[in-house]
């Protein structure tokens, strides 16, 4: 596929989304100057935060004109009662239109849901009014799951949600190699998967912190890979932004790649991501 002229730079930044935790909710009022009304705000499912904190974060996102997308971590949910309780609370505040379903960190599930697919197959999302479901993609693979299993899971989750008349999108794990992401998107499309893809991108954050998250999530971070992103492993001072990564996506994306957008992982520094997005928009 050849690089598009003109369109990709604006497309890749258009309709972006970003991620917060419950404690970030208080800062959302300051974000309205940087993010457009209707911007999707993913609310993570942290073990250290209560159901109430997650719901209140979704409510805050709505109150400031954003579109809340609460996460559901399958292996962290103890039973159907807990799942229904969360979905009911989301519906009560009008934050049940779209959810993002992940497996979650625990090696052993806390309840009956082994993975995101099991949760989708319950039919409870549709029962509580969910119309759109986000699922995870892994352009550079997963440290504990082989590639064939990842492809099977992706296809089965899309099929299960589609059978329940829910729209599906895929948000990828973050990485440092835009070319690897492009190759993965091309493989997705060759498999006949046409759902929108949001490419996970780290917001500006300290280099040490960013590499720490990479180790935690099994993201490839060899010297050669991170150098493409603008990081030197011999000089771990300062911060790193996604400029090179976004520019590389813009150079390679074409209409043949389908609908491809960006999702920002803010890693606790929402203000830095917001400032970067505002500055980037001014360049387009």
């Amino acid at each position: 596929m050849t690089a598009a002229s003109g369109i990709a730079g604006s497309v890749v930044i258009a309709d972006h989304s970003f991620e917060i935790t419950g404690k970030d909710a208080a800062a959302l009022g300051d974000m309205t100057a940087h993010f457009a009304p209707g911007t999707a705000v993913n609310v993570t499912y942290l073990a250290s935060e209560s159901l109430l904190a997650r719901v209140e974060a979704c409510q805050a996102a709505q109150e400031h004109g954003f579109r809340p997308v609460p996460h559901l971590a399958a292996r962290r949910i103890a039973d159907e009662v807990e799942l229904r309780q969360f979905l009911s609370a989301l519906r009560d505040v009008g934050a049940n239109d779209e959810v993002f379903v992940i497996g979650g960190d625990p090696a052993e599930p806390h309840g009956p849901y082994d993975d995101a697919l099991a949760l989708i197959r319950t039919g409870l999302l549709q029962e509580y009014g969910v119309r759109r479901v986000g699922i995870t993609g892994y352009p550079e693979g997963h440290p504990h799951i082989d590639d064939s299993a990842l492809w099977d899971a992706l296809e089965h989750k899309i099929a299960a949600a589609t059978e329940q008349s829910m729209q599906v999108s895929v948000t990828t794990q973050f990485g440092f190699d835009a070319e690897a992401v492009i190759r993965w998107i091309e493989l997705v499309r060759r498999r006949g998967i046409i759902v929108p893809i949001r490419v996970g991108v780290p917001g500006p954050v300290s280099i040490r912190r960013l590499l720490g998250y990479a180790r935690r999530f099994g993201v490839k971070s060899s010297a050669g890979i991170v150098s493409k992103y603008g990081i030197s492993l011999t000089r771990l001072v300062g911060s790193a932004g996604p400029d090179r990564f976004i520019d590389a996506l813009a150079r390679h994306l074409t209409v043949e790649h389908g609908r491809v957008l960006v999702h920002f992982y803010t890693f606790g520094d929402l203000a830095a991501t917001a400032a970067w997005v505002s500055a980037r928009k001014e360049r387009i």
Side-chain angles (χ1 to χ4, degrees):
M1 294 185 181
T2 59
S5 59
I7 63 164
S10 58
V11 169
V12 83
I13 276 294
D15 192 24
H16 49 267
S17 57
F18 63 96
E19 197 154 302
I20 66 167
T21 65
K23 67 181 180 181
D24 294 319
L28 285 174
D30 298 328
M31 298 300 107
T32 56
H34 302 280
F35 298 106
T39 297
V41 177
N42 285 31
V43 179
T44 58
Y45 197 107
L46 295 182
S48 59
E49 293 184 338
S50 66
L51 180 151
L52 179 61
R54 299 179 198 119
V55 173
E56 287 181 342
C58 291
Q59 195 167 14
Q62 282 189 315
E63 289 171 352
H64 293 294
F66 301 124
R67 190 175 84 243
V69 182
H71 285 201
L72 292 170
R75 286 191 288 274
R76 291 197 180 281
I77 297 174
D79 50 34
E80 182 179 322
V81 172
E82 182 178 326
L83 177 57
R84 286 184 177 275
Q85 183 183 22
F86 190 28
L87 291 171
S88 177
L90 293 173
R91 185 174 60 185
D92 288 345
V93 299
N96 60 318
D97 181 72
E98 182 176 2
V99 299
F100 188 77
V101 184
I102 61 174
D105 294 333
E108 296 295 327
H110 296 176
Y113 310 116
D114 291 337
D115 51 29
L117 178 60
L119 197 151
I120 292 170
R121 282 176 168 167
T122 64
L124 293 178
L125 302 183
Q126 186 186 41
E127 180 180 332
Y128 282 85
V130 175
R131 297 189 305 116
R132 293 183 287 180
V133 177
I135 59 175
T136 309
Y138 296 93
E140 298 182 51
H142 188 288
H144 306 300
I145 306 173
D146 66 52
D147 286 348
S148 63
L150 287 175
W151 285 116
D152 285 346
L154 183 69
E155 292 173 341
H156 290 157
K157 284 184 284 188
I158 292 171
T162 302
E163 286 169 4
Q164 297 175 56
S165 301
M166 293 185 290
Q167 298 176 28
V168 184
S169 63
V170 176
T171 298
T172 75
Q173 174 61 281
F174 79 91
F176 300 112
D177 188 349
E179 293 179 6
V181 173
I182 293 292
R183 289 194 297 270
W184 179 82
I185 293 172
E186 291 171 357
L187 287 173
V188 169
R189 300 312 187 205
R190 286 179 194 144
R191 286 174 172 262
I193 299 171
I194 59 173
V195 302
I197 295 172
R198 289 189 178 273
V199 177
V201 178
V205 69
S206 78
I207 293 173
R208 289 185 182 276
R209 190 171 190 179
L210 180 55
L211 292 177
Y213 277 107
R215 287 191 294 273
R216 175 181 171 185
F217 295 117
V219 174
K220 295 177 181 178
S221 55
S222 68
I225 289 174
V226 299
S227 66
K228 297 180 181 181
Y229 196 82
I231 295 173
S232 170
L233 294 184
T234 62
R235 190 172 182 272
L236 300 180
V237 296
S239 62
D243 298 83
R244 287 192 184 185
F245 187 92
I246 294 291
D247 289 342
L249 285 180
R251 285 194 303 272
H252 289 90
L253 282 172
T254 76
V255 293
E256 297 174 53
H257 291 100
R259 187 160 174 75
V260 180
L261 304 165
V262 165
H263 175 73
F264 291 103
Y265 294 98
T266 60
F267 296 138
D269 199 342
L270 181 55
T273 296
W276 185 91
V277 168
S278 287
R280 180 75 184 197
K281 285 179 179 177
E282 292 176 0
R283 291 171 48 194
I284 295 174

